[in-house]
């Protein structure tokens, strides 16, 4: 009796918590900067300090800082609605398949301790060290998954606090840290027991063997999906950077949008525009060619099949190699 040919399963159907370790062998020697890798934009905003102890961060407009000081009960709900870019914790994000994390680091003003936090609108309740320890615990349970941590947008860090942060990174990840001399392929990193690549947006990365330079981030600064896509199509015409780079599928609301959508939130905006954005992503290709993409970062990464959509792009590399 005739049996129809078996359909090849999509890479997007792999268990996302271990998708890298389950990739087909032909991709094990592909440079990581040529794979399609899902990322989390502003990854640690699920734990913003909601009890009003945290001031509005110092990058916010002076007017907002003044309004927050005198009209906090009125202003804070709006700040939170538009500042939270991820609703689930870091372990859940990694379980969902995220392998690049955008980490924005700050020292709270008037804080006499050396504790560091993440920030977006306001500061987080969890410290940087606590989150890094969570990540390390997850990495120990998934030794063949490779994670790219991008430390950037430093706010209020003295040279001493930079050195403290770098010391914490080295202490937490220790032998898992990938030095800049390594060839970044899955096979090579697995062989050497390395699984964490740290990008550090500071001059200190130049003289540090285990801190990679800043990873370029394509940010469109648009709040409409079609305008964001137009910006990326234009950027693609100029070719891709030589190493890692991020295409930020994150929409950016402006004051006009917030005022004309008072009952909405950033999540409402993102979820409503994911269909056209992910449709565009499906048309893209990873690789080394001029118009190819590498890391694709988004907000609310567990929504609308964002991660599997990005992972499945690697099938195009398989077809090309065959």
């Amino acid at each position: 009796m005739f049996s129809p040919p078996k359909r090849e399963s999509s890479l997007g159907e792999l268990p996302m918590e271990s998708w890298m370790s389950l990739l087909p062998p032909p991709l094990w020697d592909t440079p990581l900067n040529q794979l399609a890798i899902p990322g989390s934009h502003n990854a640690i905003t699920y734990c913003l300090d909601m009890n009003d102890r945290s001031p509005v961060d110092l990058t916010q407009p002076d007017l907002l800082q003044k309004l927050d000081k005198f009209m906090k009960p009125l202003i804070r709900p709006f700040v939170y609605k538009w500042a939270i870019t991820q609703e689930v914790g870091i372990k859940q994000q990694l379980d969902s398949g995220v392998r690049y994390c955008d980490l924005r680091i700050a020292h709270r003003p008037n804080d006499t301790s050396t504790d560091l936090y993440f920030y977006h609108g306001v500061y987080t309740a969890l410290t940087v060290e606590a989150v890094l320890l969570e990540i390390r615990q997850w990495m120990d349970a998934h030794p063949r998954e490779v994670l790219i941590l991008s430390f950037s947008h430093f706010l209020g860090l003295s040279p001493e606090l930079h050195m403290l942060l770098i010391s914490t990174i080295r202490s937490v990840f220790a032998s898992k840290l990938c030095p800049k001399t390594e060839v970044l392929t899955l096979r090579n990193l697995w062989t050497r027991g390395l699984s964490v690549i740290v990008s550090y947006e500071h001059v200190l990365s130049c003289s540090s063997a285990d801190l990679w330079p800043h990873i370029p981030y394509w940010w469109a600064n648009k709040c409409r999906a079609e305008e964001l896509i137009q910006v990326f199509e234009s950027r693609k015409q100029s070719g891709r950077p030589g190493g890692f780079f991020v295409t930020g599928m994150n929409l950016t609301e402006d004051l006009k949008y917030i005022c004309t959508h008072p009952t909405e939130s950033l999540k409402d905006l993102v979820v409503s525009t994911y269909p056209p954005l992910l449709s565009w992503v499906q048309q893209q290709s990873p690789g080394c060619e001029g118009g190819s993409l590498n890391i694709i970062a988004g907000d609310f990464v567990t929504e609308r099949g964002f991660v599997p959509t990005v992972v499945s792009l690697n099938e195009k590399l398989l077809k090309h190699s065959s």
Side-chain angles (χ1 to χ4, degrees):
M1 185 176 178
F2 174 75
S3 299
K6 185 178 181 181
R7 182 181 71 89
E8 292 186 10
S9 60
S10 163
L11 295 183
E13 296 172 358
L14 293 173
M16 286 294 105
E17 69 272 11
S18 51
W19 69 266
M20 279 184 160
S21 64
L22 297 173
L23 285 175
L27 295 180
W28 295 357
D29 297 306
T30 300
L32 291 182
N33 60 32
Q34 294 178 24
L35 288 178
I37 298 174
S40 175
H41 166 247
N42 255 316
I44 319 296
T45 55
Y46 56 87
C47 57
L48 294 180
D49 195 334
M50 305 291 278
N51 62 12
D52 295 346
R53 290 181 304 181
S54 168
V56 170
D57 79 59
L58 297 180
T59 67
Q60 300 306 311
D62 290 342
L63 177 59
L64 179 60
Q65 293 187 49
K66 290 177 181 177
L67 289 174
D68 180 72
K69 185 175 181 180
F70 298 106
M71 304 170 63
K72 198 179 298 287
L74 180 63
I75 296 299
R76 278 300 169 99
F78 281 92
V79 173
Y80 295 137
K81 284 200 308 179
W82 296 97
I84 295 173
T85 60
Q86 309 295 341
E87 285 185 327
V88 303
I90 189 62
K91 288 184 178 179
Q92 290 168 278
Q93 292 181 47
L94 299 177
D95 281 339
S96 78
V98 163
R99 295 296 177 265
Y100 163 92
C101 295
D102 169 23
L103 306 175
R104 305 183 181 203
I105 312 297
H107 184 251
R108 290 191 184 196
N110 304 317
D111 187 349
T112 57
S113 78
T114 57
D115 289 338
L116 297 177
Y117 298 86
F118 305 93
Y119 72 99
H120 190 225
V122 297
Y123 303 89
T124 57
L126 291 177
T127 65
V128 170
E129 184 174 16
V131 171
L132 296 187
L133 287 169
E134 277 194 82
I135 293 173
R136 173 59 196 253
Q137 184 180 30
W138 188 91
M139 298 298 293
D140 286 342
H142 302 80
R144 285 166 67 89
E145 298 301 299
V146 176
L147 188 58
I148 304 164
L149 302 179
S150 177
F151 293 80
S152 66
H153 292 73
F154 299 108
L155 182 62
L157 269 69
S158 64
E160 293 75 19
L161 287 174
H162 271 291
M163 294 309 298
L164 178 63
L165 174 57
I166 292 170
S167 176
T168 301
I169 292 169
R170 289 170 174 159
S171 173
V172 170
F173 296 112
S175 61
K176 290 185 178 292
L177 278 178
C178 178
K180 284 187 286 194
T181 54
E182 288 302 325
V183 177
L184 296 180
T185 65
L186 289 173
R187 190 192 301 272
N188 187 59
L189 296 183
W190 291 341
T191 300
R192 299 179 181 274
L194 305 170
S195 57
V196 181
I197 298 161
V198 169
S199 160
Y200 203 86
E201 189 184 21
H202 193 274
V203 66
L204 287 168
S205 68
C206 298
S207 57
S208 300
D210 50 5
L211 300 180
W212 293 73
H214 175 62
I215 296 174
Y217 195 109
W218 287 3
W219 176 52
N221 194 21
K222 302 293 182 182
C223 61
R224 295 172 59 88
E226 57 269 27
E227 293 176 352
L228 181 142
I229 290 170
Q230 187 176 23
V231 168
F232 291 150
E233 285 295 337
S234 177
R235 293 291 294 268
K236 285 168 57 181
Q237 300 308 310
S238 301
R240 55 155 293 165
F244 288 117
F245 77 103
V246 184
T247 305
M249 305 298 296
N250 42 281
L251 296 160
T252 306
E253 74 286 351
D254 53 23
L255 186 59
K256 178 182 177 182
Y257 188 93
I258 292 174
C259 292
T260 54
H261 299 77
T263 63
E264 293 188 13
S265 66
L266 179 61
K267 184 177 182 181
D268 294 323
L269 172 62
V270 169
V271 172
S272 68
T273 53
Y274 256 161
L277 290 180
L278 293 184
S279 177
W280 179 80
V281 168
Q282 288 174 332
Q283 300 169 34
Q284 307 310 305
S285 297
C288 59
E289 290 77 19
S292 61
L293 300 186
N294 174 211
I295 301 166
I296 302 175
D299 296 323
F300 305 100
V301 289
T302 57
E303 297 287 333
R304 300 298 180 104
F306 168 77
V307 171
T309 299
V310 176
V311 171
S312 65
L313 294 180
N314 292 303
E315 294 169 20
K316 299 181 182 183
L317 294 175
L318 285 174
K319 293 177 182 177
H320 182 73
S321 64
S322 64

